[in-house]
Structure formats: structure tokens, C-alpha cells
Amino acid sequence: MSLNIKRVYVPPGREDGYRVLVDRVWPRGVSKAKACVDEWLKEIGPSTELRKWFNHEDEKWAEFQTRYRAELDHNSEVPALRDIVRERDVVTLIYSAHSELENQAVVLRDYLG
């Protein structure tokens, strides 16, 4: 089993396996065909309140991780994502944030790991 992360703006590749979009809001400027996602688990993304609070500010990253993990502890889509990861050889969590190091897919990958 391999669990990867990738920006939605990077072209899909065969190595991506099953592609799961983990953003609550559909990425700007990307058609569904171009995104090439197999599944969109929109409810697994951070709440609107948390996303707006974080605003991708570096100094809030540590607290964002803590708050998002707390949300995931009570998120009804986590079992569905765990099943997808368990059933597939390769799963790639797709996200739209600019930062490759500080985004919800990073937290989610570590949470599931």
C-alpha cells in the first residue's frame, strides 16, 4: 500500500493510482476532466471555519494540524477513506493548496498512516 499526496494542478500520472480529492471546495480553474479524480471526499476537508482561520499562514501551521486532527477524529468520511486506502495498492490524496508542505493532505496522510 502506498499513500501519496499531489497538487491538483500537477498533471495526473499512472503512478497516482486511485486519486481522491480531499478539498472541501472544488479547485479554481480546474475542470473535472482535467482533475482526473476517482472520488471527491469533500466532507473530509477541514471545516470552512478552520480553513478560513488558517488562511495558509505559516505561524498557524502547528495549531492547524492539531485542530484538523481533532476534526478528523469525528469525521464520518474517515472510515470511507481508510477503506479506500486498504483496498487499493496506490492512493493519491489530491489537494489545491499552494504549499506542498503545509496543507490538509499532509495532515490527512499522517493521520491515516
Side-chain angles (χ1 to χ4, degrees):
M1 188 259 337
S2 176
L3 183 58
N4 308 304
I5 63 172
K6 189 173 194 177
R7 282 193 82 215
V8 70
Y9 304 103
V10 175
R14 292 180 189 248
E15 71 280 359
D16 294 347
Y18 195 79
R19 293 168 52 93
V20 181
L21 179 64
V22 295
D23 283 1
R24 189 169 290 266
V25 178
W26 189 265
R28 287 186 201 186
V30 178
S31 68
K32 291 187 179 189
K34 188 175 180 181
C36 196
V37 297
D38 296 296
E39 195 155 349
W40 180 19
L41 296 179
K42 89 163 84 169
E43 296 302 319
I44 207 157
S47 66
T48 300
E49 297 79 18
L50 180 57
R51 185 174 46 83
K52 287 181 178 182
W53 171 83
F54 175 43
N55 197 34
H56 298 282
E57 296 173 25
D58 292 340
E59 64 275 6
K60 294 180 178 177
W61 173 238
E63 182 63 21
F64 171 80
Q65 292 177 79
T66 301
R67 292 182 185 194
Y68 184 39
R69 284 188 186 106
E71 287 186 357
L72 290 170
D73 287 342
H74 304 286
N75 189 306
S76 62
E77 290 208 5
V78 168
L81 184 54
R82 285 190 195 279
D83 288 344
I84 290 168
V85 170
R86 191 172 26 253
E87 294 167 1
R88 312 252 178 209
D89 290 333
V90 179
V91 174
T92 300
L93 305 177
I94 305 299
Y95 66 95
S96 62
H98 291 283
S99 174
E100 294 180 12
L101 301 175
E102 297 178 351
N103 64 70
Q104 77 272 13
V106 170
V107 178
L108 193 50
R109 179 192 58 201
D110 294 346
Y111 184 85
L112 295 170

